[in-house]
Amino acid sequence: MNLFDNLNPMQREAVEYTEGPLLLLAGAGSGKTRVLVNRVANLVQKGVRPFNILAITFTNKAACEMKERIETLLEGTGGVWVSTFHSLCVRILRREISKLGYDAKFTIYDADDSQRIMKQVYKEHNINEKLLPVKAALGAISRQKDILVTAEQFAREAEGDYQQRQIALLYDAYQRKLKANNALDFDDLICKTVELFDKSPETLERYQNRFIYISVDEYQDTNFGQYRLVWMLSRKNNNICVVGDDDQSIYGWRGADIRNILEFERDFPGAKVIKLEQNYRSTKTILAAANGVIQNNVKRKDKELWTENTEGSLITHYTAETDLEEAGYVVDEIVSRAAKAEKYKDFAILYRMNAQSRLFEDRLVRENVPYRVFGGVRFYDRMEVKDVLAYLKALYNPLDDISLRRIINVPRRGIGEESVARLEAYAAEMEVPFYDAVCSWDEITGLPYNGRRVKDFSELLKLLMEDAATRPVTEILDNILKETNYVNELLTAETDHDMAKERVANVMELTAKAAEFKRQAEEAGEEATLAAFLEEVALVADIDAYSEQQDAVALMTMHSAKGLEFDNVFVVGFEEHMFPTSRAIFSASPAQLEEERRLCYVALTRARKRLYVTSAVTRRFYNEQVYNSPSRFLKEIPKELMRAIKSGRPVSAGAERKATLSHVQDGYTKPRTPPVLPKPKTGPPDFSVGNYVNQKKYGRGKVLDIKPAGADYEVTVEFAAGVKKFMAHLSNLERVE
């Protein structure tokens, strides 16, 4: 097979360049996956052993797609290690983590597990969660892990700040708890692998000799820890190829560092740079709009997407009076196009935050349109699914106190809080894991019913553990459901019959997932072990469940849409304070606003044929009515590329351009004129338009307007949370500098 057929000149150059560091600047829709796959295949055809090639992606979905395409191209030749960052680290740590004092059967904790263990830490250290929320503490710890700062290092740096010292204390106690549970959280997977390589140079060298050629996809989304991991693995052979687009770096809020791609040539001297700028996805109009927006960013590498595709339709900008009307327009447009034989799966509704989905869901249900929401509650985060998974985790790793505590009375077996407290006290006194306390029930005084119910639970665990030692995950799961009678418990405990059926269906879906996992493992010649199943479940992303085969409208955040494409895309809530967010608008650093602009670029380039951007004059936001002007990004889209529609009424052909110009230049669509109110009985407030005021709930904001409103004055104030309206004297607004 000729690997260079149908490649454009830049793609071909990238496939042929195999020695030394290479930066592939791959614009949206430029065929980067094809280049990566062909480049790996070219290495194998040149005589490189697949065993010596590592390809890293960011999602399981992308990893599976790449692996399948490589095997197809090489006609079944396996051995190339295609993995996400976290899956790569888990595989390494399962083999090597004993060097760090952990057992290989460690558990991977999700966000909920981490919160549970941190709440234990709060309780033990008598910390008030109202003063320092658990999520805030975990977020601060996660940020330290992103930059590879240990608890000990953070404690040294936090000496002069009380809150930082408190977080340092929590960080240290949290890590000790994790280790006692033989568990790692998601951030630890990267941190512990880097720590392993730092502490064991011979281990690092072994993996450097294994991975002679390394490719990293979506490099713009790497954080410092991931950058360090890649640098360590590649520095011996220097055959590192990174693929990414700085214009699509949208994860700064979770630690991604755009400097990794912007400074690649500095980090890897002698690096070759190849730009993939030809887009195969979108129309010329859509690309011109995206280019018009992104060129306003300062921190970016110079490039511009182009395409040989058709001009395509103008971009539709719809201005609704309300958010309800916005949802109605979007769904009506989908229904209208579906009536013309377009498939529902070719439509996507993209929004900035998950809370925006509800109105669209309501309207889709009313119109009987099938849809799927991505980015809400994950399947694996549902209560009943987590219950069953907790059994699997406890069987695999008996030191996992969090999972054992979750299942000790699930399903209900009469073990209450008093019994759990006595078990915890015994474990603390004897300095043993919670599991040992359960098994030592006969040594603990004061257990209700003479400890009989705890005894039954311990015997159940031992029975299930014997089963787990030799059987595949499907049989282990079936045995758990049989011995615990969990499904019947769901049916009898839930008063809502429909909810009970849904929960049972979720449990059955988990068993189906296990069966599918077993089938795939057997096809790959691997064992369907409990460890491998737990790893896959722990590392799966919600968007991995997206399937192009299901004929349903996709609803998701703009972040979740990265890597996907649709014929028709609606970018909704295209307003100031919604997109870009208030946080970005009021940030002292331009970096946040530039990231919002990159997010806009990503959203626009998801569209293949038709692109819609919609905004509303007024919407309910956090249960308040707010007025927002259209997004500043609207001004950055070239005027000649858009057609404007307001309140469901198309602008006439002759007036279309004028309406668009006016709309963009004004940057604001005025709400309906309010009724005339009687003259105020009180004097005007002691501040003026342009002054800053403080409000108890929203903090500091700028006064935009003051006007009479009955017996008082209505004051419009712009806060970080958006534009709000108040009665001047009733709301106790105070002027501040």
Side-chain angles (χ1 to χ4, degrees):
M1 179 179 293
N2 189 341
L3 300 176
F4 304 104
D5 286 346
N6 300 317
L7 294 179
N8 67 43
M10 304 311 291
Q11 291 175 330
R12 183 184 182 108
E13 183 180 4
V15 170
E16 290 178 327
Y17 192 88
T18 59
E19 306 303 312
L22 171 64
L23 170 60
L24 278 180
L25 289 173
S30 61
K32 67 181 177 68
T33 303
R34 183 181 182 191
V35 172
L36 274 175
V37 168
N38 283 38
R39 190 172 183 276
V40 168
N42 185 39
L43 284 168
V44 175
Q45 286 193 357
K46 289 173 67 173
V48 177
R49 296 170 60 202
F51 179 83
N52 295 131
I53 302 173
L54 170 66
I56 304 175
T57 69
F58 262 80
T59 66
N60 291 310
K61 182 181 177 69
C64 289
E65 179 188 354
M66 185 178 294
K67 189 172 184 178
E68 289 173 4
R69 289 173 65 170
I70 289 172
E71 291 181 352
T72 299
L73 209 54
L74 296 175
E75 299 178 350
T77 302
V80 176
W81 201 341
V82 184
S83 171
T84 65
F85 269 104
H86 292 94
S87 295
L88 167 69
C89 290
V90 169
R91 291 180 71 176
I92 292 173
L93 292 172
R94 288 286 181 214
R95 300 174 183 179
E96 315 287 353
I97 201 169
S98 61
K99 296 181 177 68
L100 299 178
Y102 289 76
D103 186 274
K105 288 189 173 183
F106 60 83
T107 301
I108 303 169
Y109 278 173
D110 62 16
D112 181 62
D113 296 328
S114 293
Q115 287 179 39
R116 287 170 182 261
I117 205 168
M118 183 59 89
K119 285 183 178 180
Q120 291 180 12
V121 173
Y122 270 53
K123 184 178 179 181
E124 292 172 5
H125 289 81
N126 196 30
I127 293 177
N128 189 340
E129 191 176 342
K130 291 182 179 179
L131 298 179
L132 178 60
V134 165
K135 286 186 178 180
L138 285 170
I141 292 170
S142 178
R143 288 190 290 275
Q144 296 307 310
K145 291 184 177 183
D146 281 344
I147 56 176
L148 302 178
V149 173
T150 66
E152 295 77 15
Q153 291 170 327
F154 187 60
R156 289 195 297 269
E157 296 169 2
E159 288 182 356
D161 185 291
Y162 172 76
Q163 188 177 56
Q164 294 296 87
R165 288 201 310 272
Q166 193 171 47
I167 292 173
L169 180 149
L170 292 171
Y171 188 0
D172 179 67
Y174 173 71
Q175 289 303 115
R176 292 178 187 277
K177 279 279 187 185
L178 285 173
K179 191 165 187 179
N181 283 258
N182 195 39
L184 304 178
D185 66 16
F186 207 60
D187 297 314
D188 281 331
L189 298 177
I190 306 292
C191 293
K192 292 299 178 184
T193 307
V194 173
E195 181 184 343
L196 169 70
F197 289 159
D198 275 332
K199 291 184 175 180
S200 178
E202 65 277 8
T203 303
L204 171 60
E205 186 174 14
R206 189 164 69 253
Y207 284 97
Q208 287 174 335
N209 292 336
R210 165 77 189 268
F211 302 129
I212 298 175
Y213 292 87
I214 300 175
S215 297
V216 184
D217 195 10
E218 304 290 3
Y219 192 66
Q220 76 281 347
D221 293 330
T222 54
N223 61 27
F224 178 76
Q226 291 161 336
Y227 154 78
R228 176 75 177 173
L229 178 67
V230 169
W231 181 83
M232 295 176 86
L233 285 172
S234 65
R235 64 179 177 175
K236 181 176 182 179
N237 300 293
N238 209 31
N239 293 322
I240 172 74
C241 168
V242 303
V243 185
D245 181 5
D246 52 301
D247 288 337
Q248 296 186 72
S249 180
I250 59 174
Y251 294 111
W253 52 276
R254 70 180 189 195
D257 192 340
I258 194 173
R259 291 177 299 179
N260 292 347
I261 192 167
L262 293 177
E263 299 175 3
F264 181 81
E265 296 109 303
R266 187 202 67 183
D267 296 332
F268 296 89
K272 184 176 181 62
V273 180
I274 298 175
K275 298 179 183 179
L276 303 181
E277 297 173 293
Q278 183 174 358
N279 175 283
Y280 295 91
R281 175 189 301 159
S282 306
T283 65
K284 287 184 172 68
T285 298
I286 293 170
L287 284 190
N291 286 331
V293 171
I294 199 62
Q295 68 184 6
N296 291 278
N297 270 3
V298 175
K299 293 185 69 174
R300 64 184 294 262
K301 288 183 175 289
D302 182 42
K303 58 188 171 303
E304 185 166 341
L305 290 185
W306 61 276
T307 184
E308 294 179 347
N309 293 341
T310 63
E311 290 287 342
S313 306
L314 290 175
I315 296 162
T316 299
H317 174 227
Y318 177 79
T319 304
E321 286 292 329
T322 67
D323 48 357
L324 280 169
E325 187 181 278
E326 177 189 40
Y329 168 78
V330 170
V331 176
D332 287 349
E333 187 73 8
I334 292 172
V335 170
S336 174
R337 293 208 166 274
K340 300 174 183 176
E342 292 197 52
K343 295 185 180 298
Y344 290 121
K345 68 179 182 181
D346 292 330
F347 294 87
I349 301 173
L350 310 184
Y351 34 78
R352 182 62 180 84
M353 56 195 77
N354 284 308
Q356 292 173 255
S357 73
R358 184 185 64 81
L359 293 179
F360 296 95
E361 291 186 68
D362 290 347
R363 187 68 179 226
L364 289 164
V365 168
R366 192 189 338 166
E367 298 296 333
N368 199 29
V369 174
Y371 69 92
R372 289 194 68 186
V373 180
F374 298 87
V377 178
R378 291 192 326 143
F379 172 76
Y380 295 109
D381 288 338
R382 290 178 168 88
M383 179 202 75
E384 57 279 4
V385 176
K386 286 185 72 68
D387 285 346
V388 179
L389 288 176
Y391 270 96
L392 292 174
K393 291 177 181 179
L395 299 184
Y396 180 69
N397 174 22
L399 295 178
D400 183 357
D401 289 1
I402 294 296
S403 294
L404 279 169
R405 284 182 171 90
R406 184 181 184 100
I407 64 175
I408 195 169
N409 200 41
V410 174
R412 292 172 296 184
R413 51 178 62 92
I415 301 178
E417 292 182 6
E418 181 184 347
S419 296
V420 172
R422 290 187 180 274
L423 290 167
E424 289 176 338
Y426 178 87
E429 180 184 353
M430 304 302 292
E431 297 183 347
V432 296
F434 188 74
Y435 174 74
D436 288 358
V438 171
C439 293
S440 302
W441 60 272
D442 55 339
E443 299 178 13
I444 303 174
T445 59
L447 283 175
Y449 305 98
N450 296 319
R452 177 173 52 83
R453 291 173 175 171
V454 177
K455 173 191 174 185
D456 291 344
F457 178 60
S458 70
E459 290 178 347
L460 171 66
L461 288 177
K462 291 174 183 176
L463 174 67
L464 293 173
M465 283 178 182
E466 290 175 7
D467 178 72
T470 56
R471 297 189 184 185
V473 66
T474 47
E475 295 181 21
I476 300 170
L477 197 50
D478 289 341
N479 202 39
I480 289 171
L481 297 178
K482 174 187 172 184
E483 295 295 336
T484 62
N485 203 28
Y486 183 68
V487 170
N488 285 336
E489 173 73 10
L490 286 176
L491 290 171
T492 56
E494 180 59 65
T495 56
D496 186 327
H497 182 63
D498 290 337
M499 178 62 73
K501 288 197 300 182
E502 182 179 336
R503 286 182 171 169
V504 170
N506 287 334
V507 173
M508 294 302 102
E509 179 63 23
L510 182 62
T511 64
K513 164 65 181 175
E516 175 67 11
F517 172 79
K518 180 184 177 186
R519 183 189 65 78
Q520 291 176 344
E522 289 173 346
E523 288 179 355
E526 301 170 352
E527 291 186 50
T529 64
L530 176 55
F533 180 72
L534 288 175
E535 284 172 22
E536 180 159 321
V537 168
L539 301 179
V540 72
D542 183 61
I543 202 63
D544 288 330
Y546 174 75
S547 172
E548 295 180 355
Q549 305 306 314
Q550 187 170 9
D551 192 24
V553 177
L555 279 71
M556 63 185 74
T557 64
M558 300 171 199
H559 285 97
S560 295
K562 190 167 177 294
L564 302 178
E565 55 187 72
F566 305 87
D567 281 355
N568 308 280
V569 170
F570 295 84
V571 185
V572 301
F574 217 69
E575 305 149 25
E576 293 287 282
H577 303 288
M578 297 291 290
F579 186 47
T581 62
S582 297
R583 179 179 297 181
I585 292 172
F586 288 100
S587 172
S589 168
Q592 286 195 31
L593 193 56
E594 291 217 344
E595 180 156 318
E596 288 287 294
R597 185 173 284 109
R598 292 194 294 269
L599 184 59
C600 180
Y601 176 80
V602 166
L604 301 183
T605 54
R606 297 312 93 196
R608 286 190 287 247
K609 296 180 180 178
R610 299 182 192 87
L611 176 62
Y612 302 77
V613 293
T614 67
S615 56
V617 173
T618 179
R619 68 173 63 243
R620 298 293 296 180
F621 190 62
Y622 291 116
N623 205 32
E624 291 190 25
Q625 199 77 11
V626 298
Y627 295 84
N628 292 327
S629 57
S631 171
R632 66 188 63 197
F633 300 146
L634 193 68
K635 300 177 183 178
E636 298 172 357
I637 298 175
K639 309 175 188 66
E640 64 274 10
L641 303 178
M642 293 188 295
R643 68 186 187 104
I645 302 176
K646 295 186 179 181
S647 300
R649 298 183 297 276
V651 180
S652 65
E656 179 176 315
R657 191 61 54 222
K658 180 179 179 182
T660 303
L661 281 167
S662 171
H663 193 69
V664 173
Q665 289 171 348
D666 292 345
Y668 181 69
T669 304
K670 295 180 181 179
R672 292 189 178 94
T673 304
V676 177
L677 296 172
K679 186 177 180 180
K681 297 178 181 179
T682 59
D686 61 354
F687 48 79
S688 306
V689 172
N691 291 157
Y692 285 87
V693 295
N694 187 70
Q695 203 275 336
K696 185 175 181 181
K697 180 177 179 181
Y698 298 105
R700 185 172 183 267
K702 184 178 182 179
V703 178
L704 301 181
D705 189 25
I706 302 174
K707 58 188 175 185
D712 205 340
Y713 286 82
E714 181 186 83
V715 182
T716 303
V717 186
E718 184 175 49
F719 297 97
V723 177
K724 312 292 180 183
K725 294 180 183 293
F726 304 92
M727 303 308 287
H729 295 89
L730 289 177
S731 59
N732 296 320
L733 293 171
E734 297 180 354
R735 180 175 176 177
V736 294
E737 294 302 324

